[in-house]
Amino acid sequence: MKKKIAIIGAGISGLSAAAYTAKAGNEVHVFEKNSTPGGRARQFKTNNGYSFDMGPSWYWMPDIIEGFFKDFGYAAKDFYKLIQLDPQFEMVFADGKLTVPNNYNALKELFEGTEPGAGIKLDAFMKAARYKYEVGMQQFVHKPCHSWWEFVTPQIAASALKLDLLSNFRSYVKKYFTHPKLITLMEFPVIFLGAAPQKIPALYSLMNYGGYALGTAYPMGGFYELVLAMKKIGEEQGARFYFNQPVEQICAGGGKATSLIVNGEELYFDAIIASSDYHHTETLLDTPNRNYKETYWQTRTFAPSSLIYYLGFNKRLPNLQHHTLFFEHDLDGHIDDIYNDKQWPQQPLFYACCPSKTDAGVAPAGHENLFLLMPLATGLEDEEVIREQYFKQMIGRIEKATGAHNLVDNIDYKRSYCVRDFVNDYNAYQGNAYGLANTLSQTAVRKPAIRNKKLSNLFYTGQLTVPGPGVPPSIISGKIVAKEVNKLKRFSFESAI
């Protein structure tokens, strides 16, 4: 029976949930506190001709994104043009660079040239990673994770040993490679899973396959093209979107969530899906109706926050790829600063994205669009003077790596974004940028539950619940919760008041 459903937040998981719940014939209303959809994947344009994607920039796991479109009779190409990047990215080390090609055979040659025998070992690594990717992304991540019994199937039991669930990522990588640069190359993707490589299950070598083997793409117009496509699909299914509409309270009665207070108005619904920050969503409830106490959140391991700079240059930047990772310093030192010492990094690593190398439309003619991102501990004080100190470091390292001079003099747009901005814009707990870390103790059933334990028609989706952080997992998260909501029988909220 048709249900009236509210979705809080129009981020990736909220857009996904909206499309799938509306497709099932429900009346769907999406309330977003910001002026545009996308959440962390928003985009902004400047008066002098730049377009900046605010968050996600790595188009990995393309089959997962394609699967979303296929569910609605579309393909990604119906909405935007995907360009395969070659090279995929470059890594800058203190003693040189590694340029990662798009072609797999060329990637093998790079490994072999760096460490004799590593080319053959890469084949073995990727064969195992492909298996984990295909099993993990098909059998594991689509489960609602109400109970471990969901994973007790003959197929998963047969796969358990091959999935390396109990070994850690660092030890696993070192079984294959010994050269420090190759180890760093294989470890870097898990930084954004939110923990040190030695605390991430080896299962996540699937990310190496989903990235390096399937390739790194870029949607012309920017990552925001995916957001616009998802919103359009949701609207075609009948979902309605309301912007600049912050939800102020979730009201409940009789074991049900009954209504939302939005900009002072009470609106009634049969079910509610919260795509907003999980911790923030809980504060919209009376304390007895919350899933978790404050001490629970204080003991979780969160993925990093970030210091981001959006920069426009009035000239082209030489010797810089679309994606460049600046890893001149020790990876473990930066990781310790994030997770153990919880301080501003002493020798930071950072990432630079220059989409104007691929897409002339994101900057004025002859100009360059540059996005800088430095992972940080959550909860840091981030006054402008501190941000600026790290900005100068990053610009200096870019100049050294590219041979450019006096880049600051050529900046015609500059905006910083950091911990307190994540809090202000997304109500992000302690300013986290990527949700909860995918450690073994925070995987599957051990993540925050997708269903409220007190209110049977209130659900949660997004990077703080299953399956975890990232654009493809968030798309899947929205689909998972939509299936759960679609199973609900309609009830009369008036009877619960």
Side-chain angles (χ1 to χ4, degrees):
M1 184 179 291
K2 181 178 180 180
K3 296 178 284 290
K4 187 178 180 182
I5 298 170
I7 297 177
I8 307 173
I12 295 293
S13 64
L15 292 169
S16 175
Y20 284 110
T21 50
K23 182 183 178 184
N26 298 302
E27 179 185 329
V28 178
H29 301 263
V30 184
F31 300 94
E32 168 57 50
K33 73 182 289 289
N34 293 307
S35 60
T36 57
R40 288 163 171 80
R42 291 181 299 156
Q43 185 182 78
F44 73 92
K45 298 180 183 295
T46 70
N47 292 331
N48 58 342
Y50 294 97
S51 294
F52 290 99
D53 282 334
M54 295 189 69
S57 58
W58 291 84
Y59 198 102
W60 277 2
M61 302 185 183
D63 55 321
I64 304 300
I65 299 173
E66 199 66 56
F68 170 82
F69 289 120
K70 186 177 179 181
D71 284 343
F72 298 91
Y74 286 110
K77 66 181 180 181
D78 295 325
F79 297 95
Y80 48 80
K81 181 180 180 181
L82 272 181
I83 301 295
Q84 289 295 318
L85 299 182
D86 193 12
Q88 297 189 50
F89 60 92
E90 190 165 73
M91 298 191 80
V92 176
F93 295 97
D95 60 349
K97 301 178 181 179
L98 275 184
T99 302
V100 179
N102 183 59
N103 179 273
Y104 181 74
N105 287 331
L107 182 63
K108 280 183 63 177
E109 291 176 6
L110 171 67
F111 271 66
E112 188 65 30
T114 305
E115 176 185 320
I120 295 298
K121 291 180 180 178
L122 180 64
D123 278 339
F125 184 98
M126 285 299 183
K127 181 179 179 181
R130 178 176 180 175
Y131 180 85
K132 292 170 190 171
Y133 186 85
E134 291 175 347
V135 173
M137 300 309 289
Q138 294 303 320
Q139 297 185 31
F140 268 66
V141 301
H142 288 273
K143 297 186 179 298
C145 296
H146 298 310
S147 164
W148 287 114
W149 288 106
E150 295 169 28
F151 298 91
V152 182
T153 68
Q155 295 88 346
I156 291 177
S159 305
L161 290 177
K162 292 183 180 180
L163 292 175
D164 291 299
L165 288 167
L166 300 179
S167 55
N168 75 71
F169 193 83
R170 168 156 292 174
S171 297
Y172 182 78
V173 169
K174 286 185 174 182
K175 290 179 181 178
Y176 291 88
F177 311 108
T178 59
H179 196 286
K181 289 181 180 178
L182 296 185
I183 291 172
T184 300
L185 174 62
M186 302 308 278
E187 286 186 345
F188 111 80
V190 305
I191 293 175
F192 299 103
L193 291 175
Q198 56 267 38
K199 293 187 177 181
I200 293 285
L203 165 69
Y204 288 103
S205 64
L206 64 85
M207 289 189 66
N208 299 106
Y209 177 79
Y212 303 165
L214 297 184
T216 302
Y218 171 80
M220 294 297 285
F223 220 101
Y224 194 60
E225 294 299 312
L226 171 62
V227 171
L228 295 177
M230 293 182 72
K231 178 176 179 284
K232 182 177 180 181
I233 286 174
E235 289 174 328
E236 287 181 351
Q237 307 307 308
R240 303 175 203 173
F241 291 83
Y242 309 88
F243 297 101
N244 298 308
Q245 299 289 310
V247 174
E248 298 159 354
Q249 185 179 348
I250 301 173
C251 304
K256 305 281 188 181
T258 57
S259 59
L260 300 178
I261 305 296
V262 182
N263 279 344
E265 182 181 1
E266 186 166 17
L267 305 171
Y268 292 90
F269 297 94
D270 298 306
I272 296 169
I273 298 172
S275 173
S276 45
D277 177 271
Y278 201 125
H279 172 270
H280 170 72
T281 302
E282 295 267 86
T283 68
L284 302 178
L285 292 161
D286 290 338
T287 301
N289 290 327
R290 298 174 186 176
N291 273 352
Y292 304 102
K293 297 179 180 178
E294 188 65 26
T295 52
Y296 171 85
W297 298 106
Q298 293 170 356
T299 57
R300 298 305 92 187
T301 300
F302 277 82
S305 185
S306 296
L307 169 61
I308 298 172
Y309 272 90
Y310 308 101
L311 304 171
F313 291 85
N314 61 15
K315 70 172 186 177
R316 306 293 294 191
L317 303 181
N319 306 314
L320 193 65
Q321 301 295 338
H322 186 121
H323 295 301
T324 307
L325 298 159
F326 288 80
F327 275 52
E328 305 99 321
H329 302 308
D330 179 54
L331 173 62
D332 285 345
H334 192 153
I335 287 174
D336 285 343
D337 287 335
I338 293 174
Y339 299 110
N340 296 330
D341 301 324
K342 291 189 175 296
Q343 64 184 10
W344 282 86
Q346 299 181 50
Q347 292 187 307
L349 313 177
F350 72 97
Y351 157 62
C353 178
C354 192
S356 48
K357 295 295 183 185
T358 304
D359 186 353
V362 300
H367 290 225
E368 211 82 278
N369 175 317
L370 188 63
F371 167 99
L372 305 180
L373 183 149
M374 179 187 298
L376 296 174
T378 57
L380 295 178
E381 292 291 329
D382 67 331
E383 298 303 319
E384 198 63 39
V385 63
I386 301 175
R387 300 185 188 192
E388 195 66 14
Q389 291 172 3
Y390 285 90
F391 169 72
K392 291 176 181 177
Q393 286 189 44
M394 291 188 282
I395 287 294
R397 287 160 65 182
I398 291 172
E399 289 179 339
K400 181 178 180 181
T402 63
H405 301 286
N406 303 318
L407 286 181
V408 171
D409 296 337
N410 298 107
I411 293 174
D412 61 358
Y413 183 81
K414 179 181 176 184
R415 175 184 175 184
S416 66
Y417 200 93
C418 200
V419 177
R420 53 188 159 90
D421 298 300
F422 283 100
V423 174
N424 292 336
D425 286 356
Y426 311 120
N427 297 306
Y429 183 74
Q430 295 188 344
N432 79 84
Y434 306 103
L436 279 178
N438 268 354
T439 61
L440 191 58
S441 63
Q442 295 181 167
T443 295
V445 176
R446 291 172 174 168
K447 283 191 180 295
I450 69 166
R451 190 167 190 166
N452 187 281
K453 300 169 186 177
K454 318 289 176 52
L455 308 174
S456 61
N457 62 336
L458 173 60
F459 297 81
Y460 307 83
T461 185
Q463 60 182 8
L464 284 170
T465 184
V466 294
V471 170
S474 291
I475 291 174
I476 293 170
S477 185
K479 184 176 182 178
I480 290 171
V481 79
K483 286 183 177 179
E484 295 297 298
V485 172
N486 290 339
K487 294 176 187 175
L488 284 179
K489 293 181 179 179
R490 190 180 189 278
F491 77 101
S492 172
F493 51 73
E494 288 87 354
S495 67
I497 299 173

